[in-house]
Amino acid sequence: MKNTGKPSETIFDDHWVRYGKRAMVYKFEDAAALYGLNKKAVANSKKPCDRLVVHDGQVIWAEVKSTHHKTSFPFSIIKKGQIGYAKMVRAAGGTYNFYVHSLLLDKWFCIPASVVLDHDKQSLRWDFLLKQGYEIAL
């Protein structure tokens, strides 16, 4: 089964609706959405992340990822541009998180960009993320 990421993005968006006026989510248009507007391929500048979330006064740059990987969150599914934006947001003192949906475990993880950027391997194991308390309920 192909992982388009769209079902996980919908779960993510639906999560924030329950907060009413305490949360606002801005969705950055992806290439697929822009293609659907005119049925042609369009130039799309690299977006910093999937969503910009404001919740109780906190601004969060949010990249939503989903994976079928059995043992870990592989960094190979993060685009180079997203890593660049994560570094810039972090340097400016902002919050950039990767919201990762493990489709096989049906669990969500909120991973601060600093954890990904400072990690010395190319993935984060699910068991590590569970032990470190990065699992969240969406």
Side-chain angles (χ1 to χ4, degrees):
M1 175 186 216
K2 183 176 170 147
N3 177 18
T4 66
K6 298 302 177 196
S8 295
E9 288 179 354
T10 298
I11 293 168
F12 181 85
D13 293 341
D14 290 348
H15 166 77
W16 295 103
V17 170
R18 75 178 94 178
Y19 291 100
K21 292 181 181 179
R22 292 179 40 219
M24 188 281 297
V25 177
Y26 175 80
K27 177 182 177 182
F28 290 95
E29 294 295 340
D30 60 10
L34 294 172
Y35 180 84
L37 292 174
N38 66 5
K39 305 293 186 228
K40 292 182 186 177
V42 293
N44 184 18
S45 62
K46 294 191 180 352
K47 60 186 177 120
C49 56
D50 291 315
R51 307 287 190 272
L52 190 62
V53 177
V54 181
H55 177 236
D56 287 341
Q58 182 183 13
V59 177
I60 306 164
W61 298 81
E63 178 57 30
V64 181
K65 296 292 186 192
S66 57
T67 179
H68 284 106
H69 200 280
K70 292 178 184 177
T71 59
S72 65
F73 164 46
F75 298 164
S76 60
I77 65 174
I78 303 172
K79 294 179 178 147
K80 186 177 179 181
Q82 293 164 343
I83 290 292
Y85 279 109
K87 288 178 180 177
M88 288 187 281
V89 169
R90 180 181 175 198
T95 301
Y96 191 115
N97 292 333
F98 294 95
Y99 292 86
V100 182
H101 186 194
S102 167
L103 299 169
L104 293 178
L105 297 175
D106 194 24
K107 293 187 182 294
W108 280 86
F109 300 88
C110 175
I111 307 167
S114 60
V115 173
V116 172
L117 296 173
D118 296 341
H119 197 62
D120 60 349
K121 300 215 175 359
Q122 293 302 306
S123 67
L124 287 164
R125 293 183 53 85
W126 301 129
D127 56 358
F128 169 83
L129 293 170
L130 288 165
K131 286 179 196 168
Q132 297 300 313
Y134 291 114
E135 182 183 1
I136 58 172
L138 282 192

